[in-house]
């Protein structure tokens, strides 16, 4: 197993332990179709345009250009008409076997998740913690939905014909441990395991190695994935999700339950208080995410966090300290790659080299090989 480290978090970035709801935005945005449609076209909530769900009902107000999954994309701007209450609800689904669950996921454009269930597994682990500093989505889903998560995990265990499934929680996460312990006794085939609070712990090979399981025989899923399966079975649409908006450039960090397709601008105007400072915005994590140049980005099913980070000091000369080489979990010779302008396919994009570099050099961007 790799040597893992605990990341230091900036105490200024306090993440609250409640969820802010944003389920009635004024606008949502979805990528356009390949053909023209009339102005004022009516869109219905929880219908799909290609594989993108429309999360509100409303009218087409125009076409815009936004950062959608971090790419500049033409999008429809849909104005909310707040008439969701007239719409049909889905029915609960009875799942008899794994194929039915896979089909349900595929019908809802979750093929990646469906594919993860293909294969033969001897063990199943759900990891209920966030890797990135300043992210608390996984924690919050477990905390709020622990009963549903355990029920779904037990169902998945039986669909996979496994004797036991594990629910893995950080050993520092006392609140979730208490909740899970209060009901796990009713599930004789589920086992709670506590993992050290170390960065990259939830990677398949690290979890498996820590629990003495064979990585090739072990299915490792996240709380969010179990939650999505449970929601679909219960007849709920996946038109909203938890995201964490945090960082030392904000006066207060938030976990927001937001409709998909909302723009960060609208979230900012509604909820965020930005400190008077220069800042960068990181999409999907400070360590593993990408710096984005615009606040005009859209929340999609792949968004997990937005970090408003005070502008770091400028890059300085490398002092040859070797810290980047020592910390790299892939044992890449980061310094040599940096100096000789080389990229490495083995790079995990974990961001640890950037995190440790005293000269603030953006090593990750220079080394990862897309
Ligand atoms: S980002 Fe890549 S090069 Fe940097 S520490 Fe992680 S694996 Fe190593
Ligand atoms: S951590 Fe930064 S300063 Fe130290 S050797 Fe690596 S690149 Fe140079």
């Amino acid at each position: 197993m790799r040597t893992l480290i605990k990341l230091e978090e900036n105490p200024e970035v306090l993440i609250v332990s409640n969820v802010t709801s944003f389920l009635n935005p004024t606008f949502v945005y979805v990528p356009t179709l390949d053909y023209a449609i009339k102005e004022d076209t009516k869109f219905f909530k929880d219908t799909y345009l290609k594989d993108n769900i429309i999360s509100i009902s409303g009218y087409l107000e125009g076409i815009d250009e936004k950062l959608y999954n971090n790419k500049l994309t033409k999008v429809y701007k849909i104005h909310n008409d707040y008439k969701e209450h007239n719409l049909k609800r889905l029915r609960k689904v009875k799942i008899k076997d794994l194929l039915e669950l896979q089909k349900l996921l595929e019908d809802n454009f979750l093929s990646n998740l469906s594919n993860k269930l293909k294969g033969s597994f001897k063990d199943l682990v759900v990891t209920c913690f966030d890797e990135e500093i300043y992210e608390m989505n996984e924690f919050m889903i477990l905390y709020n939905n622990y009963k549903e998560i355990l029920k779904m995990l037990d169902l998945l265990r039986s669909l996979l014909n496994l004797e036991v499934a594990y629910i893995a929680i950080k050993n520092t996460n006392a609140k979730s441990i208490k909740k899970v312990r209060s009901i796990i006794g009713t599930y004789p085939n589920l086992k709670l395991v506590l993992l050290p609070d170390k960065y990259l712990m939830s990677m398949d090979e690290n979890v498996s190695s820590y629990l003495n399981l064979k990585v090739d025989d072990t299915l490792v899923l996240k709380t969010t994935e179990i939650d999505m399966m449970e929601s679909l079975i219960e007849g709920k649409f996946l038109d909203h999700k938890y995201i964490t908006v945090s960082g030392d450039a904000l006066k207060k960090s938030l976990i927001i339950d937001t409709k998909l397709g909302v723009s960060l601008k609208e979230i900012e105007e509604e909820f965020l208080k930005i400190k008077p400072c220069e800042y960068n915005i990181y999409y999907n994590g400070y360590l593993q995410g990408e710096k984005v140049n615009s606040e005009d980005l859209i929340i999609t099913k792949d968004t997990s966090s937005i970090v408003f980070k005070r502008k770091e000091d400028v890059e300085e000369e490398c002092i040859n300290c070797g810290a980047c080489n020592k910390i790299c979990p892939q044992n890449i010779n980061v310094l040599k790659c940096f100096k000789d302008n080389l990229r490495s396919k083995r790079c995990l994009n974990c961001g640890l080299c950037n995190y440790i570099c005293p000269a603030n050099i953006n090593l990750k961007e220079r080394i990862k090989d897309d």
Side-chain angles (χ1 to χ4, degrees), residues 327-330 332 334 346-353 364 367:
I327 205 164
C328 177
Q330 293 293 83
I332 296 168
V334 183
R346 288 193 297 122
C347 174
L348 299 170
N349 190 36
C350 71
L352 281 170
C353 47
K364 181 183 87 167
I367 290 166

Side-chain angles (χ1 to χ4, degrees), residues 316-327 334-336 338-339 352-363 367:
E316 289 164 20
E317 285 274 303
C318 170
I319 54 168
N320 294 309
C321 66
C324 50
N325 280 357
K326 272 195 209 135
I327 205 164
V334 183
L335 183 56
K336 181 171 168 43
F338 167 57
K339 297 231 157 143
L352 281 170
C353 47
N354 286 17
Y355 169 83
I356 206 75
C357 178
N360 300 309
I361 300 171
N362 191 346
L363 296 159
I367 290 166

Side-chain angles (χ1 to χ4, degrees), residues 168-184:
I169 306 181
K170 273 185 197 171
N171 58 11
T172 48
N173 195 341
K175 283 181 171 180
S176 298
I177 295 169
K178 195 172 168 199
K179 290 219 164 187
V180 169
R181 277 198 175 137
S182 70
I183 59 160
I184 199 156

Side-chain angles (χ1 to χ4, degrees), residues 253-366:
S253 299
L254 295 170
I255 301 163
I256 305 179
D257 184 7
T258 176
K259 280 285 168 81
L260 299 185
V262 171
S263 75
L264 178 60
K265 263 262 177 277
E266 194 173 336
I267 290 178
E268 187 186 318
E269 282 160 13
E270 196 76 25
F271 301 109
L272 305 183
K273 292 197 171 61
I274 301 176
K275 293 177 187 168
C277 63
E278 285 195 64
Y279 58 86
N280 290 315
I281 301 174
Y282 292 83
Y283 177 75
N284 279 353
Y286 173 54
L287 283 143
Q288 296 183 28
E290 302 291 331
K291 209 189 271 184
V292 290
N293 294 323
S294 163
E295 291 167 35
D296 234 5
L297 65 87
I298 303 301
I299 308 304
T300 73
K301 65 181 179 192
D302 298 317
T303 311
S304 55
S305 67
I306 312 285
V307 181
F308 286 72
K309 182 91 182 65
R310 256 193 224 132
K311 265 201 176 146
E312 297 89 0
D313 298 332
V314 283
E315 284 192 4
E316 289 164 20
E317 285 274 303
C318 170
I319 54 168
N320 294 309
C321 66
C324 50
N325 280 357
K326 272 195 209 135
I327 205 164
C328 177
Q330 293 293 83
N331 293 324
I332 296 168
N333 190 333
V334 183
L335 183 56
K336 181 171 168 43
C337 287
F338 167 57
K339 297 231 157 143
D340 295 350
N341 217 1
L342 302 172
R343 290 189 178 266
S344 170
K345 287 213 186 302
R346 288 193 297 122
C347 174
L348 299 170
N349 190 36
C350 71
L352 281 170
C353 47
N354 286 17
Y355 169 83
I356 206 75
C357 178
N360 300 309
I361 300 171
N362 191 346
L363 296 159
K364 181 183 87 167
E365 283 310 308
R366 292 172 167 101

